Amino acid sequence: EVPILPHDNLSSGGSKYHLYKRRWLMLFIFSLASLLIGAVQFTPTAIQDQMVKYYKVDNTRIDLMALIINLCFVPFSFVVAYTTEAFSLSFTLKVGSILFIISSWLRYISSVVTADRVTEFWIFFVGQSLTGVVMPFIGLNVVTLFAVNWFGEKERTLAGTIAVLANIVGPSLAFGIAPAVVTHGSEIPTFLLAQAGICSACAFGILFIYVERPPSPPSSTAEDDAALAAASGGNFRQFVADLRECFREKWFIVLLIGYGLGYGALQSFITLINQISIPEGYTSDQAGFFGVAVVLASIVGALAVGAILDKTRRYVFVIRVVGVVAIISFTALTFLLRPDRFGLIIAICCILGASAVALVPACLEAAVEVTFPVAEATPTGLLNMTGTAASVAVIAIMNKLQDQEAPYKMENAMYFNLGLFAVGGAFLLAYNGSYKRFEHEKLKNYETVNK
Protein backbone atom coordinates (compact mmCIF):
# COMPACT_ATOMS: atom_id res chain seq x y z
CA GLU A 1 0.00 0.00 0.00
CA VAL A 2 1.33 3.44 -0.94
CA PRO A 3 1.36 6.07 1.82
CA ILE A 4 -0.77 9.10 0.95
CA LEU A 5 1.00 11.73 3.05
CA PRO A 6 4.43 12.32 4.49
CA HIS A 7 4.38 13.04 8.20
CA ASP A 8 3.33 16.66 8.53
CA ASN A 9 6.01 17.50 11.10
CA LEU A 10 8.86 16.59 8.76
CA SER A 11 10.23 18.18 5.66
CA SER A 12 9.73 16.30 2.44
CA GLY A 13 13.41 15.59 2.21
CA GLY A 14 13.81 13.46 5.31
CA SER A 15 10.44 11.95 6.13
CA LYS A 16 10.30 8.36 7.22
CA TYR A 17 6.86 8.56 8.84
CA HIS A 18 3.78 7.92 6.75
CA LEU A 19 -0.02 7.97 6.99
CA TYR A 20 -1.97 5.21 5.27
CA LYS A 21 -5.52 5.21 3.95
CA ARG A 22 -6.14 2.02 5.90
CA ARG A 23 -6.05 3.95 9.15
CA TRP A 24 -9.64 5.09 8.57
CA LEU A 25 -10.78 1.49 8.08
CA MET A 26 -9.02 0.53 11.32
CA LEU A 27 -10.68 3.46 13.09
CA PHE A 28 -14.09 2.40 11.76
CA ILE A 29 -13.66 -1.20 12.96
CA PHE A 30 -12.35 -0.13 16.36
CA SER A 31 -15.05 2.52 16.87
CA LEU A 32 -17.84 0.20 15.75
CA ALA A 33 -16.74 -2.43 18.27
CA SER A 34 -16.60 0.21 21.00
CA LEU A 35 -20.08 1.45 20.04
CA LEU A 36 -21.58 -2.04 20.07
CA ILE A 37 -20.12 -2.84 23.49
CA GLY A 38 -21.69 0.32 24.86
CA ALA A 39 -25.04 -0.62 23.31
CA VAL A 40 -24.93 -4.22 24.58
CA GLN A 41 -23.99 -3.05 28.06
CA PHE A 42 -27.20 -1.03 28.45
CA THR A 43 -29.62 -3.26 26.51
CA PRO A 44 -31.13 -4.94 29.62
CA THR A 45 -31.72 -1.54 31.25
CA ALA A 46 -33.27 -0.15 28.05
CA ILE A 47 -35.87 -2.96 27.93
CA GLN A 48 -36.02 -3.66 31.66
CA ASP A 49 -39.80 -4.11 31.85
CA GLN A 50 -39.80 -6.66 29.02
CA MET A 51 -36.79 -8.47 30.55
CA VAL A 52 -38.52 -8.74 33.92
CA LYS A 53 -41.65 -10.24 32.35
CA TYR A 54 -39.85 -12.58 29.94
CA TYR A 55 -37.34 -14.07 32.40
CA LYS A 56 -39.73 -13.81 35.38
CA VAL A 57 -37.26 -12.02 37.65
CA ASP A 58 -37.46 -8.79 39.64
CA ASN A 59 -35.88 -5.44 38.83
CA THR A 60 -33.16 -6.00 41.42
CA ARG A 61 -31.54 -8.74 39.34
CA ILE A 62 -31.52 -6.55 36.24
CA ASP A 63 -29.89 -3.76 38.24
CA LEU A 64 -27.39 -6.28 39.64
CA MET A 65 -26.11 -6.97 36.10
CA ALA A 66 -25.17 -3.31 35.65
CA LEU A 67 -23.24 -3.43 38.93
CA ILE A 68 -21.45 -6.68 38.01
CA ILE A 69 -20.38 -5.23 34.64
CA ASN A 70 -18.71 -2.27 36.34
CA LEU A 71 -17.11 -4.49 38.95
CA CYS A 72 -15.67 -6.73 36.21
CA PHE A 73 -14.27 -3.69 34.42
CA VAL A 74 -11.98 -2.70 37.30
CA PRO A 75 -9.74 -5.79 37.72
CA PHE A 76 -9.65 -6.57 34.01
CA SER A 77 -8.33 -3.07 33.35
CA PHE A 78 -5.08 -4.27 34.93
CA VAL A 79 -5.15 -7.37 32.72
CA VAL A 80 -5.57 -5.24 29.61
CA ALA A 81 -2.81 -2.85 30.64
CA TYR A 82 -0.48 -5.84 30.95
CA THR A 83 -1.49 -7.66 27.75
CA THR A 84 -1.11 -4.55 25.59
CA GLU A 85 2.35 -3.85 26.98
CA ALA A 86 3.62 -7.43 27.22
CA PHE A 87 2.13 -8.73 23.97
CA SER A 88 0.40 -6.26 21.65
CA LEU A 89 -2.73 -4.21 21.08
CA SER A 90 -3.75 -6.63 18.35
CA PHE A 91 -3.53 -9.56 20.79
CA THR A 92 -5.63 -7.65 23.33
CA LEU A 93 -8.29 -6.73 20.77
CA LYS A 94 -8.49 -10.28 19.47
CA VAL A 95 -8.94 -11.73 22.97
CA GLY A 96 -11.66 -9.16 23.57
CA SER A 97 -13.33 -10.02 20.26
CA ILE A 98 -13.48 -13.75 21.07
CA LEU A 99 -14.99 -12.98 24.48
CA PHE A 100 -17.45 -10.60 22.79
CA ILE A 101 -18.64 -13.36 20.45
CA ILE A 102 -19.08 -15.77 23.37
CA SER A 103 -20.91 -13.13 25.38
CA SER A 104 -23.28 -12.24 22.53
CA TRP A 105 -24.27 -15.82 21.78
CA LEU A 106 -24.71 -16.77 25.43
CA ARG A 107 -27.23 -13.96 25.71
CA TYR A 108 -29.12 -15.28 22.71
CA ILE A 109 -28.94 -18.93 23.81
CA SER A 110 -30.52 -17.94 27.13
CA SER A 111 -33.66 -16.86 25.28
CA VAL A 112 -34.20 -20.09 23.32
CA VAL A 113 -32.82 -22.89 25.52
CA THR A 114 -35.51 -25.21 26.87
CA ALA A 115 -35.20 -24.68 30.60
CA ASP A 116 -37.03 -22.86 33.33
CA ARG A 117 -36.98 -19.10 33.11
CA VAL A 118 -34.70 -18.69 36.14
CA THR A 119 -32.01 -20.92 34.56
CA GLU A 120 -32.38 -19.06 31.28
CA PHE A 121 -31.91 -15.75 33.08
CA TRP A 122 -28.69 -16.88 34.74
CA ILE A 123 -27.31 -17.93 31.36
CA PHE A 124 -28.12 -14.43 30.15
CA PHE A 125 -26.56 -13.05 33.32
CA VAL A 126 -23.26 -14.82 32.62
CA GLY A 127 -23.23 -13.63 29.00
CA GLN A 128 -24.06 -10.06 30.01
CA SER A 129 -21.44 -10.06 32.78
CA LEU A 130 -18.81 -11.06 30.21
CA THR A 131 -19.50 -7.69 28.60
CA GLY A 132 -17.86 -6.11 31.63
CA VAL A 133 -14.78 -8.23 30.95
CA VAL A 134 -14.77 -7.24 27.26
CA MET A 135 -15.15 -3.48 27.85
CA PRO A 136 -11.53 -2.73 28.85
CA PHE A 137 -10.23 -4.97 26.03
CA ILE A 138 -12.06 -2.97 23.34
CA GLY A 139 -12.78 0.55 24.50
CA LEU A 140 -11.49 3.57 26.36
CA ASN A 141 -8.55 1.75 27.97
CA VAL A 142 -6.73 1.18 24.69
CA VAL A 143 -7.94 4.10 22.59
CA THR A 144 -4.77 6.21 22.96
CA LEU A 145 -2.53 3.30 21.97
CA PHE A 146 -4.70 2.59 18.93
CA ALA A 147 -4.50 6.25 17.86
CA VAL A 148 -0.71 6.32 18.26
CA ASN A 149 -0.25 3.15 16.20
CA TRP A 150 -2.16 4.40 13.17
CA PHE A 151 -2.46 8.20 13.24
CA GLY A 152 -0.02 11.09 12.97
CA GLU A 153 0.80 13.59 15.69
CA LYS A 154 -1.70 16.16 14.41
CA GLU A 155 -4.70 13.88 14.11
CA ARG A 156 -4.44 11.19 16.81
CA THR A 157 -6.37 13.16 19.46
CA LEU A 158 -9.25 13.58 17.02
CA ALA A 159 -9.08 9.87 16.10
CA GLY A 160 -9.14 8.93 19.77
CA THR A 161 -12.04 11.31 20.34
CA ILE A 162 -14.08 9.59 17.61
CA ALA A 163 -13.50 6.21 19.26
CA VAL A 164 -14.41 7.62 22.69
CA LEU A 165 -17.62 9.13 21.30
CA ALA A 166 -18.57 5.81 19.73
CA ASN A 167 -18.45 4.22 23.17
CA ILE A 168 -20.59 7.04 24.59
CA VAL A 169 -23.15 6.97 21.76
CA GLY A 170 -23.60 3.19 22.12
CA PRO A 171 -25.85 3.40 25.20
CA SER A 172 -28.00 6.05 23.50
CA LEU A 173 -28.56 3.67 20.59
CA ALA A 174 -29.60 0.98 23.05
CA PHE A 175 -32.15 3.27 24.71
CA GLY A 176 -33.38 4.53 21.33
CA ILE A 177 -33.58 1.29 19.34
CA ALA A 178 -34.20 -1.51 21.85
CA PRO A 179 -37.51 -0.20 23.32
CA ALA A 180 -38.81 0.56 19.82
CA VAL A 181 -38.03 -2.94 18.55
CA VAL A 182 -38.78 -4.99 21.67
CA THR A 183 -42.30 -3.96 22.65
CA HIS A 184 -43.16 -7.40 24.08
CA GLY A 185 -41.11 -10.05 25.85
CA SER A 186 -41.67 -12.54 23.02
CA GLU A 187 -39.56 -10.33 20.74
CA ILE A 188 -36.46 -10.64 22.95
CA PRO A 189 -35.05 -13.80 21.26
CA THR A 190 -35.19 -12.24 17.79
CA PHE A 191 -33.59 -9.02 19.02
CA LEU A 192 -30.80 -10.89 20.83
CA LEU A 193 -30.17 -13.00 17.71
CA ALA A 194 -29.80 -9.87 15.56
CA GLN A 195 -27.54 -8.30 18.17
CA ALA A 196 -25.37 -11.44 18.36
CA GLY A 197 -25.03 -11.49 14.57
CA ILE A 198 -24.01 -7.83 14.33
CA CYS A 199 -21.56 -8.09 17.25
CA SER A 200 -20.01 -11.26 15.81
CA ALA A 201 -19.56 -9.64 12.39
CA CYS A 202 -17.73 -6.72 14.00
CA ALA A 203 -15.62 -9.08 16.13
CA PHE A 204 -14.63 -11.04 13.02
CA GLY A 205 -13.53 -7.73 11.49
CA ILE A 206 -11.06 -7.32 14.35
CA LEU A 207 -9.97 -10.96 14.16
CA PHE A 208 -9.34 -11.06 10.41
CA ILE A 209 -9.00 -7.47 9.13
CA TYR A 210 -7.45 -5.42 11.93
CA VAL A 211 -3.65 -5.29 12.05
CA GLU A 212 -1.42 -3.99 14.83
CA ARG A 213 0.27 -1.17 12.93
CA PRO A 214 1.01 0.00 9.35
CA PRO A 215 4.20 -0.94 7.46
CA SER A 216 5.81 2.41 8.29
CA PRO A 217 5.14 4.26 11.57
CA PRO A 218 3.00 7.44 11.49
CA SER A 219 5.17 9.17 14.11
CA SER A 220 8.32 8.84 16.16
CA THR A 221 6.26 7.70 19.15
CA ALA A 222 4.75 4.87 17.12
CA GLU A 223 8.24 3.93 15.98
CA ASP A 224 9.51 3.85 19.57
CA ASP A 225 6.48 1.85 20.73
CA ALA A 226 7.11 -0.77 18.06
CA ALA A 227 10.78 -1.06 19.05
CA LEU A 228 9.90 -1.32 22.74
CA ALA A 229 7.26 -3.98 22.07
CA ALA A 230 9.78 -6.06 20.12
CA ALA A 231 12.33 -5.75 22.92
CA SER A 232 10.09 -6.37 25.96
CA GLY A 233 8.19 -9.45 24.71
CA GLY A 234 5.94 -10.24 27.65
CA ASN A 235 8.09 -8.76 30.42
CA PHE A 236 5.89 -8.51 33.53
CA ARG A 237 8.59 -6.59 35.36
CA GLN A 238 8.39 -3.80 32.81
CA PHE A 239 4.63 -3.59 33.35
CA VAL A 240 5.11 -3.29 37.12
CA ALA A 241 7.84 -0.69 36.55
CA ASP A 242 5.44 1.34 34.39
CA LEU A 243 2.79 1.23 37.13
CA ARG A 244 5.33 2.53 39.62
CA GLU A 245 6.41 5.25 37.22
CA CYS A 246 2.82 6.44 36.87
CA PHE A 247 2.38 6.80 40.61
CA ARG A 248 5.73 8.56 40.98
CA GLU A 249 4.51 11.35 38.70
CA LYS A 250 2.66 13.83 40.94
CA TRP A 251 0.76 15.45 38.09
CA PHE A 252 -0.56 12.07 37.01
CA ILE A 253 -1.92 11.57 40.55
CA VAL A 254 -3.63 14.97 40.32
CA LEU A 255 -5.12 14.00 36.95
CA LEU A 256 -6.16 10.58 38.26
CA ILE A 257 -8.08 12.05 41.20
CA GLY A 258 -9.70 14.78 39.11
CA TYR A 259 -10.70 12.43 36.28
CA GLY A 260 -11.90 9.70 38.64
CA LEU A 261 -14.18 11.96 40.67
CA GLY A 262 -15.46 13.89 37.65
CA TYR A 263 -16.10 10.79 35.55
CA GLY A 264 -17.75 9.01 38.48
CA ALA A 265 -20.06 11.96 39.19
CA LEU A 266 -21.05 12.46 35.54
CA GLN A 267 -21.62 8.74 34.93
CA SER A 268 -23.74 8.53 38.08
CA PHE A 269 -25.93 11.43 36.95
CA ILE A 270 -26.49 9.87 33.51
CA THR A 271 -27.21 6.44 35.03
CA LEU A 272 -29.72 7.81 37.56
CA ILE A 273 -31.21 10.49 35.32
CA ASN A 274 -34.71 8.96 35.52
CA GLN A 275 -34.63 8.69 39.32
CA ILE A 276 -33.41 12.28 39.53
CA SER A 277 -35.79 13.87 37.01
CA ILE A 278 -39.13 12.09 37.53
CA PRO A 279 -39.61 13.21 41.18
CA GLU A 280 -39.08 16.79 39.96
CA GLY A 281 -42.20 16.50 37.79
CA TYR A 282 -40.77 15.27 34.48
CA THR A 283 -41.86 12.17 32.57
CA SER A 284 -39.56 9.27 31.74
CA ASP A 285 -39.59 10.44 28.11
CA GLN A 286 -38.47 13.92 29.14
CA ALA A 287 -35.74 12.41 31.32
CA GLY A 288 -34.65 10.46 28.26
CA PHE A 289 -34.42 13.71 26.28
CA PHE A 290 -32.11 15.09 28.97
CA GLY A 291 -29.80 12.12 28.44
CA VAL A 292 -29.98 12.45 24.66
CA ALA A 293 -29.12 16.17 24.94
CA VAL A 294 -25.98 15.30 26.92
CA VAL A 295 -24.88 12.70 24.36
CA LEU A 296 -25.63 14.69 21.19
CA ALA A 297 -23.93 17.81 22.52
CA SER A 298 -20.95 15.72 23.59
CA ILE A 299 -20.35 14.76 19.95
CA VAL A 300 -20.02 18.39 18.88
CA GLY A 301 -17.99 19.44 21.92
CA ALA A 302 -15.60 16.50 21.93
CA LEU A 303 -14.88 16.68 18.19
CA ALA A 304 -14.20 20.41 18.47
CA VAL A 305 -11.91 19.95 21.46
CA GLY A 306 -10.13 17.02 19.77
CA ALA A 307 -9.44 19.11 16.66
CA ILE A 308 -8.18 22.04 18.77
CA LEU A 309 -5.86 19.79 20.77
CA ASP A 310 -4.39 18.24 17.62
CA LYS A 311 -3.56 21.73 16.31
CA THR A 312 -2.36 23.35 19.55
CA ARG A 313 -1.28 20.53 21.92
CA ARG A 314 -2.35 22.83 24.80
CA TYR A 315 -3.85 20.09 26.96
CA VAL A 316 -3.46 21.98 30.26
CA PHE A 317 -5.13 25.15 28.95
CA VAL A 318 -8.00 23.29 27.27
CA ILE A 319 -8.64 21.09 30.33
CA ARG A 320 -8.86 24.21 32.50
CA VAL A 321 -11.17 26.16 30.20
CA VAL A 322 -13.49 23.24 29.46
CA GLY A 323 -13.35 22.20 33.12
CA VAL A 324 -14.65 25.60 34.27
CA VAL A 325 -17.57 25.37 31.83
CA ALA A 326 -18.35 21.83 33.02
CA ILE A 327 -18.35 22.84 36.71
CA ILE A 328 -20.62 25.84 36.05
CA SER A 329 -23.08 23.79 33.99
CA PHE A 330 -23.20 20.94 36.53
CA THR A 331 -23.82 23.46 39.31
CA ALA A 332 -26.60 25.10 37.32
CA LEU A 333 -28.18 21.72 36.61
CA THR A 334 -28.14 20.78 40.30
CA PHE A 335 -29.87 23.96 41.48
CA LEU A 336 -32.18 24.57 38.51
CA LEU A 337 -33.53 21.04 37.99
CA ARG A 338 -37.00 21.93 39.21
CA PRO A 339 -40.52 21.53 37.71
CA ASP A 340 -41.60 23.28 34.50
CA ARG A 341 -38.12 24.12 33.23
CA PHE A 342 -37.81 21.56 30.46
CA GLY A 343 -36.28 23.87 27.83
CA LEU A 344 -33.80 25.35 30.29
CA ILE A 345 -32.69 21.91 31.52
CA ILE A 346 -32.22 20.72 27.92
CA ALA A 347 -29.96 23.73 27.27
CA ILE A 348 -27.92 23.09 30.43
CA CYS A 349 -27.58 19.39 29.56
CA CYS A 350 -26.24 20.38 26.13
CA ILE A 351 -23.58 22.61 27.71
CA LEU A 352 -22.72 19.89 30.24
CA GLY A 353 -22.37 17.25 27.54
CA ALA A 354 -20.28 19.47 25.27
CA SER A 355 -17.87 20.29 28.08
CA ALA A 356 -17.70 17.39 30.54
CA VAL A 357 -17.56 14.61 27.95
CA ALA A 358 -14.94 16.54 25.96
CA LEU A 359 -12.69 16.28 29.02
CA VAL A 360 -12.48 12.48 28.59
CA PRO A 361 -10.22 12.34 25.48
CA ALA A 362 -8.33 15.45 26.67
CA CYS A 363 -7.49 13.83 30.01
CA LEU A 364 -6.57 10.50 28.42
CA GLU A 365 -4.10 12.19 26.09
CA ALA A 366 -2.74 14.37 28.91
CA ALA A 367 -2.12 11.21 30.97
CA VAL A 368 -0.08 9.73 28.13
CA GLU A 369 1.91 12.95 27.77
CA VAL A 370 2.82 13.32 31.43
CA THR A 371 3.78 9.65 31.97
CA PHE A 372 5.79 9.21 28.74
CA PRO A 373 7.57 6.85 27.96
CA VAL A 374 5.20 4.56 29.90
CA ALA A 375 3.08 2.39 27.57
CA GLU A 376 -0.09 4.30 26.60
CA ALA A 377 -2.58 1.69 27.85
CA THR A 378 -1.25 1.81 31.42
CA PRO A 379 -2.12 5.43 32.40
CA THR A 380 -5.37 5.45 30.39
CA GLY A 381 -6.40 2.13 31.94
CA LEU A 382 -5.75 3.51 35.42
CA LEU A 383 -7.85 6.60 34.68
CA ASN A 384 -10.82 4.64 33.36
CA MET A 385 -10.59 2.03 36.11
CA THR A 386 -10.67 4.78 38.76
CA GLY A 387 -13.59 6.54 37.08
CA THR A 388 -15.62 3.32 36.80
CA ALA A 389 -14.91 2.32 40.41
CA ALA A 390 -15.91 5.81 41.55
CA SER A 391 -19.20 5.64 39.62
CA VAL A 392 -20.13 2.34 41.31
CA ALA A 393 -19.54 3.86 44.75
CA VAL A 394 -21.27 7.15 43.92
CA ILE A 395 -24.39 5.46 42.53
CA ALA A 396 -24.69 3.38 45.71
CA ILE A 397 -24.31 6.46 47.92
CA MET A 398 -26.78 8.51 45.87
CA ASN A 399 -29.38 5.77 46.17
CA LYS A 400 -28.91 5.84 49.95
CA LEU A 401 -29.36 9.64 49.97
CA GLN A 402 -32.66 9.45 48.05
CA ASP A 403 -35.68 10.62 50.05
CA GLN A 404 -37.51 7.70 51.62
CA GLU A 405 -40.94 9.27 51.22
CA ALA A 406 -42.88 10.14 48.07
CA PRO A 407 -42.04 11.63 45.63
CA TYR A 408 -38.60 10.15 46.50
CA LYS A 409 -36.57 13.18 45.45
CA MET A 410 -32.80 12.97 44.98
CA GLU A 411 -32.04 16.58 45.82
CA ASN A 412 -29.58 15.69 48.60
CA ALA A 413 -27.98 13.07 46.36
CA MET A 414 -27.44 15.70 43.65
CA TYR A 415 -25.80 18.06 46.15
CA PHE A 416 -23.45 15.25 47.13
CA ASN A 417 -22.73 14.48 43.48
CA LEU A 418 -22.09 18.16 42.73
CA GLY A 419 -19.58 18.27 45.59
CA LEU A 420 -17.65 15.35 44.11
CA PHE A 421 -17.76 16.86 40.62
CA ALA A 422 -16.51 20.21 41.96
CA VAL A 423 -13.64 18.57 43.88
CA GLY A 424 -12.70 16.59 40.77
CA GLY A 425 -12.89 19.77 38.72
CA ALA A 426 -10.64 21.58 41.18
CA PHE A 427 -7.97 18.91 40.72
CA LEU A 428 -8.23 19.24 36.95
CA LEU A 429 -7.95 23.02 37.17
CA ALA A 430 -4.81 22.58 39.28
CA TYR A 431 -3.27 20.12 36.79
CA ASN A 432 -0.06 21.43 35.21
CA GLY A 433 1.63 18.36 33.80
CA SER A 434 4.46 18.49 31.29
CA TYR A 435 4.42 17.47 27.61
CA LYS A 436 7.05 14.74 27.69
CA ARG A 437 5.86 12.89 24.59
CA PHE A 438 5.48 16.06 22.55
CA GLU A 439 8.98 17.27 23.46
CA HIS A 440 10.44 13.85 22.63
CA GLU A 441 8.75 13.87 19.23
CA LYS A 442 9.96 17.38 18.43
CA LEU A 443 13.53 16.41 19.25
CA LYS A 444 13.39 13.17 17.28
CA ASN A 445 11.74 14.82 14.27
CA TYR A 446 14.43 17.51 14.29
CA GLU A 447 17.19 14.88 14.39
CA THR A 448 15.55 12.95 11.53
CA VAL A 449 15.23 16.01 9.30
CA ASN A 450 18.81 17.14 9.93
CA LYS A 451 20.53 13.80 9.37
Side-chain angles (χ1 to χ4, degrees):
E1 182 180 4
V2 178
I4 59 169
L5 285 173
H7 195 275
D8 47 17
N9 279 14
L10 299 179
S11 66
S12 58
S15 175
K16 63 175 179 177
Y17 307 126
H18 302 287
L19 299 179
Y20 292 80
K21 292 180 180 179
R22 275 187 295 168
R23 71 192 189 281
W24 299 110
L25 174 61
M26 300 304 155
L27 178 60
F28 173 76
I29 294 172
F30 183 87
S31 299
L32 179 60
S34 184
L35 181 147
L36 290 173
I37 290 170
V40 168
Q41 177 189 356
F42 284 91
T43 294
T45 305
I47 53 172
Q48 187 156 333
D49 290 341
Q50 295 91 323
M51 290 282 295
V52 166
K53 294 174 183 176
Y54 185 79
Y55 287 105
K56 301 187 186 305
V57 295
D58 55 28
N59 284 295
T60 303
R61 293 189 179 182
I62 305 297
D63 294 337
L64 180 61
M65 280 191 290
L67 176 62
I68 293 296
I69 285 176
N70 286 329
L71 290 177
C72 287
F73 182 92
V74 175
F76 279 95
S77 290
F78 281 109
V79 176
V80 167
Y82 172 68
T83 58
T84 52
E85 181 169 346
F87 300 103
S88 68
L89 174 60
S90 181
F91 173 84
T92 300
L93 292 176
K94 285 174 169 46
V95 170
S97 298
I98 293 170
L99 293 174
F100 198 26
I101 293 171
I102 295 172
S103 167
S104 300
W105 287 101
L106 274 177
R107 294 163 73 253
Y108 168 66
I109 290 170
S110 74
S111 68
V112 295
V113 68
T114 54
D116 61 276
R117 283 288 192 246
V118 175
T119 302
E120 292 173 0
F121 172 77
W122 286 112
I123 295 174
F124 182 92
F125 189 97
V126 172
Q128 186 67 16
S129 298
L130 268 178
T131 305
V133 177
V134 174
M135 283 168 57
F137 281 85
I138 312 172
L140 300 184
N141 288 28
V142 295
V143 67
T144 53
L145 177 56
F146 163 78
V148 164
N149 280 359
W150 277 98
F151 288 83
E153 295 172 23
K154 292 189 176 181
E155 61 182 14
R156 63 187 173 212
T157 302
L158 183 59
T161 299
I162 292 171
V164 167
L165 287 174
N167 186 262
I168 294 171
V169 170
S172 298
L173 287 181
F175 282 103
I177 295 175
V181 174
V182 183
T183 57
H184 189 272
S186 61
E187 296 169 324
I188 287 179
T190 303
F191 182 76
L192 293 179
L193 175 61
Q195 207 171 54
I198 294 171
C199 292
S200 296
C202 180
F204 280 123
I206 292 177
L207 289 171
F208 299 108
I209 299 176
Y210 182 84
V211 293
E212 174 75 7
R213 50 177 57 90
S216 298
S219 68
S220 59
T221 299
E223 182 182 35
D224 292 342
D225 282 355
L228 182 62
S232 62
N235 190 340
F236 183 74
R237 290 183 179 179
Q238 182 60 49
F239 170 65
V240 174
D242 279 355
L243 285 176
R244 290 174 180 167
E245 192 62 32
C246 286
F247 288 105
R248 285 175 183 158
E249 173 55 62
K250 69 173 184 178
W251 291 117
F252 175 74
I253 301 298
V254 171
L255 191 63
L256 184 70
I257 296 172
Y259 182 91
L261 292 177
Y263 184 94
L266 180 65
Q267 187 69 19
S268 300
F269 167 71
I270 294 174
T271 301
L272 300 175
I273 197 165
N274 276 44
Q275 288 177 240
I276 294 168
S277 304
I278 291 174
E280 297 295 342
Y282 297 98
T283 66
S284 59
D285 287 341
Q286 288 176 318
F289 282 122
F290 296 154
V292 170
V294 171
V295 173
L296 292 181
S298 73
I299 297 174
V300 178
L303 288 176
V305 168
I308 291 170
L309 287 174
D310 274 331
K311 288 184 177 296
T312 66
R313 296 294 189 88
R314 299 184 67 184
Y315 295 102
V316 173
F317 176 77
V318 170
I319 287 173
R320 288 175 178 174
V321 172
V322 177
V324 168
V325 176
I327 293 171
I328 293 173
S329 59
F330 204 94
T331 302
L333 181 65
T334 301
F335 287 99
L336 296 178
L337 185 56
R338 301 294 182 265
D340 302 320
R341 295 176 177 174
F342 179 73
L344 177 63
I345 301 306
I346 285 288
I348 295 173
C349 284
C350 286
I351 298 172
L352 178 64
S355 56
V357 176
L359 285 170
V360 174
C363 288
L364 295 181
E365 289 291 338
V368 173
E369 288 285 344
V370 78
T371 58
F372 183 85
V374 171
E376 289 85 351
T378 302
T380 55
L382 288 172
L383 256 63
N384 288 310
M385 180 188 68
T386 303
T388 301
S391 69
V392 172
V394 173
I395 289 170
I397 294 172
M398 289 182 69
N399 280 322
K400 289 292 184 182
L401 292 175
Q402 185 175 20
D403 291 350
Q404 300 303 306
E405 297 180 358
Y408 307 105
K409 288 191 174 185
M410 297 195 75
E411 190 171 341
N412 292 330
M414 280 295 288
Y415 292 147
F416 168 77
N417 204 28
L418 172 62
L420 288 181
F421 193 85
V423 172
F427 273 89
L428 292 182
L429 294 180
Y431 176 75
N432 193 30
S434 57
Y435 299 87
K436 297 178 182 178
R437 181 178 64 174
F438 178 50
E439 294 300 326
H440 170 79
E441 288 175 333
K442 281 204 306 183
L443 177 61
K444 194 161 184 180
N445 290 343
Y446 175 81
E447 292 173 348
T448 300
V449 170
N450 289 278
K451 277 185 178 180

